[in-house]
């Protein structure tokens, strides 16, 4: 649950440090005082959109942080562990911080680790469930009704799988249409690719062959010159009389004999010995080269014919000889793609398979939605009697679509009957504003009660409600607060009186003349004053204060 919230330079808040306990907490204040500031701050901390408007005028940045206790949130603890954002010192504590500068750029951290907005949203969905003050307006949109039902019934993963099959169907249908339209063009492309492949495969090339042939051709074509030069060098070094090697050996022997007369000749003789060894090795290398090198006109002709054949194919295909094998691989891949694209029969088979899989999942999803509609209808109608709508009946129904869609074979429609036997009409056609607010609240309570999210936030979802119904709403929210943390922004004294703790928002003027919102935790007497104010005076009338006391005394 949410333990504390710290807000600095946020919208019209200068600085706010707030500790929040379990149970049902209400936030009240005059219109325009900024009652929703806490909810707006939490929304931003949990991945909401940031821009320059969230930074208080004149400030360089807005700095927000929230501390959560995740001891009773196993999903959140597991997420933190998987993201390597947990702290070994206190694995039950979670600190989220976000800073937005005056240019609208923001940075975020989870337990001190840099975090993305996607990560903030992921952990936020495990910690807080926010029902906005305009939630009842979403009930007017059929798509929102389906999304609400699917989320409540735990069908989101199944919906994602179905949507992926739908996208696959769309891709295959387009590929099939393209293949049928372009079959003649693709046939020409396949013929061209087959010709390329045949030309190259006829050569039976192997890797590195062109380079090897080029080197061998160069060597064979210059064999006579190479032999003559090598033999001449060998003769000069070791076979002629006198040879270079023989003369160096004589010089070495003569100088070696003179070392006793002048030791300074020793290094010179050592150099000559090295030269002798080098000349001997050179002579041996030349002999080995001459042994392996001969004039082979037949081999030269064979190599030149092979080179010419490879070169002619490369020229025909406008390629380099050394790139022919790469060209062959590319042509084979393109042929495979072209063949698949032009294979209308194969595409039809794939489409039929994907369509069958889509239908199986869609039918299963339809059954699950129908069960979810019945369960939601029963649960919402349970609260109708408490919310002074006992004669009406809520019914979520699945309407079969004329054409399948990414979300399935049906649309979800929330309907309302004036009485049990009456005709059902979409709620956007027959429900008044107050009825929509009550329906929205009932749905919010039902869906919130079915999940494990520890903190529930209601932002003026009691709009359009009054009288005895407001007492029921307050009792209902307090009941939710017995098992989890509930925060509610409200303008109803009947609801405010049910809170376990009461926060009041006041708008004041700072020293710089700019408006600021201040949040105060109210004590018992202050709560009487605030609820009396909400009843219609400034808390000075004796009757209003007595009424406020009676509201606070309710169970």
């Amino acid at each position: 649950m949410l333990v504390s919230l710290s807000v600095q330079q946020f919208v019209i808040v200068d600085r706010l440090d707030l500790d929040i306990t379990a149970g049902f907490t209400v936030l009240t204040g005059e219109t325009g005082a900024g009652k929703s500031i806490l909810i707006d701050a939490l929304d931003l901390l949990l991945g909401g959109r940031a821009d320059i408007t969230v930074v208080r005028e004149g400030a360089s940045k807005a700095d927000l942080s929230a501390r959560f206790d995740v001891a009773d949130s196993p999903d959140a603890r597991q997420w933190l562990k998987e993201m390597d954002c947990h702290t070994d010192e206190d694995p039950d504590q979670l600190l989220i911080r976000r800073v937005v500068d005056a240019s609208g750029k923001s940075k975020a951290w989870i337990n001190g680790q840099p975090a993305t907005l996607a990560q903030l949203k992921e952990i936020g969905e495990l910690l807080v469930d926010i029902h906005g003050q305009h939630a009842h307006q979403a009930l007017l949109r059929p798509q929102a009704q389906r999304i609400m039902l699917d989320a409540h019934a735990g069908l989101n993963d199944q919906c994602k799988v179905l949507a992926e099959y739908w996208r696959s169907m769309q891709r295959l249908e387009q590929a099939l249409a393209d293949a049928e339209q372009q079959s003649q063009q693709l046939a020409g492309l396949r013929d061209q690719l087959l010709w390329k492949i045949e030309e190259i495969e006829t050569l039976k090339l192997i890797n590195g062959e062109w380079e090897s042939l080029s080197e061998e051709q160069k060597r064979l074509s210059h064999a006579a010159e190479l032999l003559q030069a090598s033999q001449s060098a060998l003769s000069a070094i070791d076979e002629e009389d006198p040879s270079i090697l023989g003369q160096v050996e004589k010089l070495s022997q003569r100088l070696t004999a003179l070392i006793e007369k002048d030791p300074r000749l020793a290094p010179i003789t050592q150099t000559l010995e090295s030269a002798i060894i080098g000349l001997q090795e050179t002579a041996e290398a030349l002999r080995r080269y001459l042994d392996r090198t001969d004039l082979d006109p037949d081999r030269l002709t064979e190599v030149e014919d092979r080179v010419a054949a490879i070169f002619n194919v490369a020229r025909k295909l406008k390629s380099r000889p050394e790139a022919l094998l790469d060209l062959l691989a590319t042509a084979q891949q393109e042929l495979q793609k072209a063949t698949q694209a032009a294979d209308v029969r194969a595409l039809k088979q794939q489409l039929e398979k994907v369509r069958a899989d889509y239908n199986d999942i869609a039918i299963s999803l339809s059954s699950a939605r129908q069960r979810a509609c019945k369960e939601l209808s029963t649960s919402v109608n349970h609260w109708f009697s408490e919310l002074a709508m006992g004669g009406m009946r809520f019914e979520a129904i699945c309407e079969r679509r004329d054409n399948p869609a990414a979300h399935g074979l049906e649309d979800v429609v929330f309907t309302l009957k004036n009485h049990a036997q009456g005709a059902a009409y979409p709620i956007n056609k027959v429900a008044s504003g107050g009825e929509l607010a009550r329906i929205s609240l009932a749905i919010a309570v039902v869906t919130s009660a079915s999940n494990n999210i520890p903190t529930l936030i209601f932002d003026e979802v009691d709009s359009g409600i009054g009288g005895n119904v407001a007492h029921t709403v307050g009792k209902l929210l307090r009941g939710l607060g017995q098992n989890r943390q509930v925060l509610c922004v409200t303008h109803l004294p009947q609801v405010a009186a049910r809170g376990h703790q009461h926060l009041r928002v006041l708008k004041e003027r700072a020293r710089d003349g700019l408006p600021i919102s201040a949040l105060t935790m109210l004590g018992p007497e202050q709560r009487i004053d605030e609820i009396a104010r909400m009843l219609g005076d400034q808390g000075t009338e004796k009757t209003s204060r007595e009424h406020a006391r009676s509201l606070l005394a309710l169970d």
Side-chain angles (χ1 to χ4, degrees):
M1 70 173 190
L2 179 64
V3 176
S4 64
L5 179 69
S6 177
V7 177
Q8 298 180 45
Q9 306 300 327
F10 177 67
V11 192
I12 58 172
V13 173
D14 180 22
R15 182 180 181 90
L16 170 66
D17 293 295
L18 182 67
D19 293 329
I20 304 175
T21 64
F24 177 33
T25 300
V26 294
L27 291 90
T28 63
E30 296 281 3
T31 300
K35 293 190 295 296
S36 298
I37 209 74
L38 180 147
I39 296 172
D40 294 339
L42 278 174
D43 180 67
L44 186 67
L45 278 165
L46 301 178
R49 181 175 177 271
D51 55 37
I52 59 174
T53 62
V54 305
V55 182
R56 184 169 178 263
E57 185 177 350
S60 61
K61 64 181 181 180
D63 194 334
L64 302 87
S65 61
R67 187 176 296 278
F68 294 86
D69 185 338
V70 296
D72 297 325
S73 303
D75 292 341
R77 287 166 60 97
Q78 180 62 29
W79 187 92
L80 291 172
K81 188 174 182 180
E82 291 175 355
M83 295 294 108
D84 199 22
C85 293
H86 67 293
T87 57
D88 294 331
E89 297 80 8
D90 193 349
D92 294 339
Q93 292 298 308
L94 164 62
L95 178 65
I96 298 177
R97 183 186 176 206
R98 190 170 180 189
V99 176
V100 183
D101 65 27
S103 67
K105 296 180 179 179
S106 73
K107 294 181 179 180
W109 297 265
I110 297 177
N111 278 340
Q113 300 292 326
T116 65
L117 292 188
Q119 289 174 320
L120 293 182
K121 290 180 180 179
E122 287 177 8
I123 189 64
E125 289 174 354
L126 301 175
L127 297 171
V128 179
D129 189 5
I130 299 178
H131 298 273
Q133 58 181 303
H134 302 297
H136 60 281
Q137 296 177 3
L139 294 177
L140 302 177
R141 302 193 301 271
Q143 181 180 4
Q145 295 171 8
R146 173 180 51 77
I147 292 173
M148 190 180 301
L149 178 80
D150 288 341
H152 170 60
L155 301 176
N156 284 342
D157 289 342
Q158 198 169 345
C159 290
K160 290 178 182 177
V161 172
L162 184 69
E164 184 57 39
Y165 273 99
W166 172 262
R167 288 188 286 271
S168 296
M169 283 171 53
Q170 301 300 302
R171 289 193 294 267
L172 285 170
E173 286 174 355
Q174 184 61 51
L176 180 59
D178 291 343
E180 291 174 341
Q181 182 179 2
Q182 301 174 9
S183 58
Q184 185 175 358
Q185 179 181 350
L186 289 172
L189 175 60
R190 290 200 310 276
D191 290 342
Q192 184 180 15
L193 291 170
L194 283 169
W195 169 70
K196 283 185 179 181
I197 292 169
E198 184 179 357
E199 288 286 340
I200 301 174
E201 286 184 337
T202 301
L203 292 172
K204 298 181 180 179
L205 282 170
I206 60 176
N207 283 325
E209 182 180 1
W210 173 258
E211 291 77 5
S212 177
L213 285 171
S214 298
E215 182 180 346
E216 187 177 6
Q217 181 193 33
K218 184 185 297 184
R219 181 175 54 78
L220 289 172
S221 62
H222 297 87
E225 181 181 355
L226 293 170
L227 286 171
Q228 182 179 0
S230 299
Q231 183 60 56
S232 177
L234 177 60
S235 297
I237 292 171
D238 194 29
E239 293 182 350
E240 292 181 353
D241 190 15
S243 65
I244 296 173
L245 178 58
Q247 293 183 59
V248 173
E249 287 175 339
K250 289 180 181 179
L251 289 172
S252 176
Q253 292 170 0
R254 184 175 179 183
L255 291 175
T256 300
L258 297 175
I259 291 176
E260 293 181 358
K261 297 179 180 179
D262 190 348
R264 290 178 299 172
L265 289 175
I268 297 174
T269 60
Q270 291 174 1
T271 302
L272 286 173
E273 288 296 328
S274 298
I276 292 169
I277 293 171
L279 287 169
Q280 290 172 340
E281 291 176 350
T282 301
E284 288 301 318
L286 284 170
R287 289 189 182 94
R288 289 193 298 272
Y289 176 78
L290 289 170
D291 289 340
R292 293 195 302 267
T293 304
D294 57 0
L295 290 171
D296 188 349
D298 293 337
R299 177 56 183 166
L300 178 59
T301 301
E302 180 183 340
V303 169
E304 288 181 337
D305 289 345
R306 179 64 171 166
V307 168
I310 296 174
F311 185 80
N312 287 336
V313 171
R315 183 181 59 185
K316 189 185 298 184
L317 300 180
K318 297 180 180 179
S319 174
R320 301 187 311 277
E322 62 271 21
L324 284 176
L325 284 175
D326 290 338
L327 180 62
L328 174 62
T330 301
Q332 289 171 334
Q333 292 174 359
E334 291 179 355
L335 177 62
Q336 184 179 8
K337 291 179 181 179
T339 301
Q340 291 175 345
D343 193 346
V344 174
R345 181 179 178 183
L347 285 172
K348 285 182 177 179
Q349 290 176 344
Q350 291 181 48
L351 179 57
E352 289 174 0
K353 174 66 169 59
V354 172
R355 187 174 287 150
D357 291 339
Y358 168 88
N359 286 331
D360 289 343
I361 298 172
I363 291 171
S364 174
L365 182 59
S366 295
S367 298
R369 279 179 176 152
Q370 289 170 3
R371 292 191 297 271
C373 281
K374 291 180 181 178
E375 184 273 330
L376 181 64
S377 300
T378 300
S379 299
V380 171
N381 284 320
H382 165 76
W383 289 107
F384 267 23
S385 58
E386 301 288 334
L387 295 171
M389 296 179 70
M392 294 184 174
R393 289 292 180 269
F394 171 84
E395 186 177 3
I397 62 175
C398 292
E399 284 190 350
R400 185 80 176 189
R401 292 177 54 87
D402 293 334
N403 299 304
H407 62 264
L409 305 176
E410 64 281 316
D411 292 320
V412 174
V413 181
F414 290 172
T415 66
L416 195 64
K417 296 179 180 180
N418 286 325
H419 53 84
Q421 304 303 320
Y425 296 97
I427 59 175
N428 59 344
K429 302 292 185 182
V430 296
S432 65
E435 289 169 340
L436 279 174
R438 280 178 275 180
I439 295 170
S440 173
L441 181 59
I443 292 175
V445 171
V446 169
T447 56
S448 296
S450 65
N451 63 42
N452 296 319
I453 297 176
T455 299
L456 309 179
I457 297 179
F458 297 91
D459 186 9
E460 294 192 19
V461 293
D462 51 12
S463 174
I465 295 173
N468 288 329
V469 177
H471 283 288
T472 302
V473 171
K475 186 176 180 180
L476 185 155
L477 292 174
R478 186 180 177 91
L480 281 176
Q482 298 296 334
N483 300 314
R484 64 184 75 191
Q485 186 180 53
V486 177
L487 287 81
C488 178
V489 175
T490 182
H491 63 282
L492 297 177
Q494 299 96 319
V495 174
R498 297 283 184 170
H500 293 108
Q501 56 179 353
H502 191 150
L503 299 169
R504 183 183 180 185
V505 183
L506 289 174
K507 181 182 284 188
E508 303 171 345
R509 290 238 170 231
R511 295 176 183 176
D512 56 10
L514 296 174
I516 60 171
S517 282
L519 202 60
T520 305
M521 183 72 70
L522 300 183
E525 288 300 316
Q526 292 171 311
R527 289 193 73 183
I528 294 173
D529 293 338
E530 174 64 4
I531 292 174
R533 180 197 65 77
M534 297 173 72
L535 287 167
D537 63 30
Q538 296 301 314
T540 58
E541 296 293 332
K542 182 178 179 181
T543 55
S544 296
R545 291 179 61 80
E546 290 177 352
H547 191 184
R549 286 191 178 92
S550 66
L551 289 175
L552 287 166
L554 293 174
D555 293 333

